[in-house]
Amino acid sequence: GNLLAGSMNIDDLREHWERLLRRYHQGLLDAGVGGYGWDQCVRHYRQTILYPVGQGIALIGALAVGGIAPGLADAALLRPLLHCHELDSFATIGAAE
């Protein structure tokens, strides 16, 4: 989740996240991981994509002070924030599994 939401272009992320996550999930199953269903995997993905939001907030502060790479910090925050919004990631906080 961190890799996808933290580094992919938002349009590519919207188009490919589910296919990539399904591939990841199938790889886990093929490797012998049991008792880990697709719904649980999606829930965990929705939770982990919150992490790059925190990174983006920290990056805004660091880059704003140094005046480095205008727009980079905004992109680093907006990309994962949009993805979190689209997948309603914040609803997974504190909810029972």
Side-chain angles (χ1 to χ4, degrees), residues 4 8 12 16-25:
L4 297 182
M8 287 184 74
D12 290 337
H16 301 290
W17 77 267
E18 187 173 355
R19 181 178 55 83
L20 292 167
L21 188 62
R22 284 191 183 278
R23 184 175 174 184
Y24 170 76
H25 182 253

Side-chain angles (χ1 to χ4, degrees), residues 13-96:
L13 185 57
R14 284 177 178 139
E15 184 177 345
H16 301 290
W17 77 267
E18 187 173 355
R19 181 178 55 83
L20 292 167
L21 188 62
R22 284 191 183 278
R23 184 175 174 184
Y24 170 76
H25 182 253
Q26 188 59 53
L28 292 174
L29 299 178
D30 292 346
V33 173
Y36 190 58
W38 171 246
D39 290 340
Q40 189 177 17
C41 184
V42 170
R43 178 181 181 73
H44 290 155
Y45 175 76
R46 289 171 57 212
Q47 291 170 337
T48 62
I49 62 176
L50 291 166
Y51 182 75
V53 172
Q55 291 174 317
I57 291 169
L59 189 60
I60 283 178
L63 293 181
V65 170
I68 303 169
L72 176 63
D74 290 341
L77 176 59
L78 291 177
R79 178 180 51 236
L81 192 56
L82 284 171
H83 194 50
C84 286
H85 172 71
E86 291 167 354
L87 297 182
D88 198 18
S89 292
F90 292 98
T92 67
I93 298 172

